[in-house]
Amino acid sequence: MIVAIRGIGPIGAFGTGRTDLAEALDKHLNTTSQTGQHLETAFKTDTSTLSNFVAAKKLRRMDHYACMVLLSAGLALKDAGLSAEEKKETGIILATGHGPIETGFSFLESFIDKGDSLSKPTRFSTSVHTFSASSLSLIYGIEGPVLNVADFDLPFISAIITAVAWLKEKRVSHVLVGGVDELSKAAMYAAPVPHPGEGGCFFILSEASNAAIDLAHADIFDPGAMDPAFLQDYCFIGREMEKNVLTPVMAPWILTTETLYGNFPSSAALDLACAAILQTHSGIAGKCNVNAGRRLGSIRTGRRLCGTIMLA
């Protein structure tokens, strides 16, 4: 089954939307010698354009993580042109590694300092992982099932696999699936990574294969228990460390993006967005020497497993 990608909503340090990411990717490919250098201490995401999608009065209790979720989803819905009737047959899957981690720690601090009777109730409600996904459903009028996937290693890959399963089962006609994480000093302290970042991307997936980009395959596998030679027909977008995991098969065919939007658990969502843009912008693809016969996708390694998403 080939699933169509009808719309994408990337957000990150590069800006918001398909155009901003395409321009940043174009510039990134012109300065590939900078890949691996620590250009910024952290990659922050600006959500000020969310007011174009959601009224300010509905955002009073939303934290930064929820705002990123709403902005990315709004961009994807606008890009896909999903109608009100189609939204009734749309499900939501939100993937994240840390969720609203800053709000969670803020609530814990108030609980420790003031006790359970005086801790902040609003901070508690918004610190729950499912709050953002539920808010997304209510604000945009999406009536299908809602699922939150939380995993430190491969959250977005797992979400895509689940989204395709929903479409195969005819549970929904469309799936709004995405991965979003926020930058946290606590997470950076506990598990430091080079180029820490935040942001994410939502996608509109549909069964009808009439869009410009099709999802051919998504899988999670153990790289040590199989021959990765079948990946040779693809050019993957991922992180610098992926080259070491799949060497020598994949080493020449991974475009690294650490210095474009940084590292975070669900960054594979933005990797896939970059692959989608390269698939539809031949001029940009030419700059990274993508063979016309090769297909694109995103790749990410966890502690023991590897996840891949391939585009047809």
Side-chain angles (χ1 to χ4, degrees):
M1 178 183 183
I2 296 180
V3 177
I5 300 176
R6 287 184 53 180
I8 64 174
I11 62 170
F14 53 83
T16 58
R18 182 195 294 263
T19 301
D20 284 356
L21 180 56
E23 291 176 355
L25 185 58
D26 188 19
K27 182 179 179 181
H28 175 76
L29 292 170
N30 284 328
T31 56
T32 52
S33 61
Q34 295 180 357
T35 300
Q37 296 181 14
H38 199 96
L39 301 182
E40 299 183 43
T41 56
F43 292 79
K44 295 287 291 181
T45 298
D46 180 15
T47 61
S48 59
T49 56
L50 179 56
S51 58
N52 297 333
F53 298 95
V54 183
K57 64 180 181 180
K58 294 184 178 181
L59 300 175
R60 285 180 297 179
R61 295 185 178 182
M62 300 294 177
D63 59 12
H64 180 58
Y65 174 76
C67 286
M68 287 196 294
V69 169
L70 291 170
L71 176 57
S72 178
L75 289 165
L77 290 166
K78 180 180 179 181
D79 192 41
L82 218 60
S83 67
E85 284 299 314
E86 288 177 314
K87 289 180 181 179
K88 294 180 180 179
E89 296 294 327
T90 300
I92 297 173
I93 303 178
L94 170 58
T96 184
H98 301 131
I101 187 170
E102 287 296 290
T103 302
F105 276 112
S106 177
F107 167 73
L108 289 175
E109 287 175 358
S110 70
F111 180 85
I112 293 170
D113 293 341
K114 301 178 181 179
D116 56 352
S117 60
L118 296 176
S119 57
K120 299 177 181 178
T122 302
R123 291 298 175 93
F124 169 73
S125 62
T126 54
S127 70
V128 179
H129 274 47
T130 53
F131 172 81
S132 296
S134 301
S135 299
L136 174 56
S137 174
L138 292 171
I139 288 176
Y140 289 121
I142 298 173
E143 300 182 12
V146 179
L147 176 67
N148 195 99
V149 178
D151 181 77
F152 289 133
D153 291 322
L154 302 169
F156 181 67
I157 310 289
S158 300
I160 285 286
I161 292 173
T162 304
V164 172
W166 281 10
L167 293 172
K168 284 183 177 180
E169 296 168 357
K170 308 294 184 182
R171 184 172 300 190
V172 291
S173 299
H174 317 280
V175 182
L176 175 62
V177 55
V180 177
D181 271 292
E182 69 174 330
L183 193 64
S184 165
K185 292 182 179 179
M188 290 166 60
Y189 174 79
V193 295
H195 314 296
E198 66 176 10
C201 185
F202 269 89
F203 299 81
I204 302 292
L205 303 185
S206 303
E207 182 178 356
S209 184
N210 57 1
I213 308 162
D214 294 329
L215 189 70
H217 183 67
D219 199 6
I220 295 175
F221 60 89
D222 180 357
M226 62 179 298
D227 181 5
F230 77 98
L231 300 174
Q232 285 182 323
D233 290 335
Y234 288 83
C235 171
F236 284 95
I237 296 171
R239 301 172 300 175
E240 190 70 29
M241 65 178 293
E242 263 74 59
K243 289 185 176 181
N244 300 326
V245 173
L246 294 177
T247 301
V249 175
M250 292 299 301
W253 298 105
I254 292 184
L255 171 65
T256 56
T257 52
E258 276 100 336
T259 56
L260 187 58
Y261 40 75
N263 280 317
F264 48 94
S266 61
S267 60
L270 280 173
D271 297 342
L272 181 61
C274 288
I277 288 172
L278 288 173
Q279 191 87 329
T280 56
H281 291 71
S282 58
I284 298 178
K287 293 180 181 179
C288 64
N289 299 317
V290 176
N291 188 302
R294 290 179 179 267
R295 293 182 285 183
L296 292 155
S298 77
I299 190 164
R300 183 179 173 86
T301 56
R303 283 167 290 187
R304 295 180 301 275
L305 299 174
C306 182
T308 62
I309 306 176
M310 304 177 184
L311 299 181

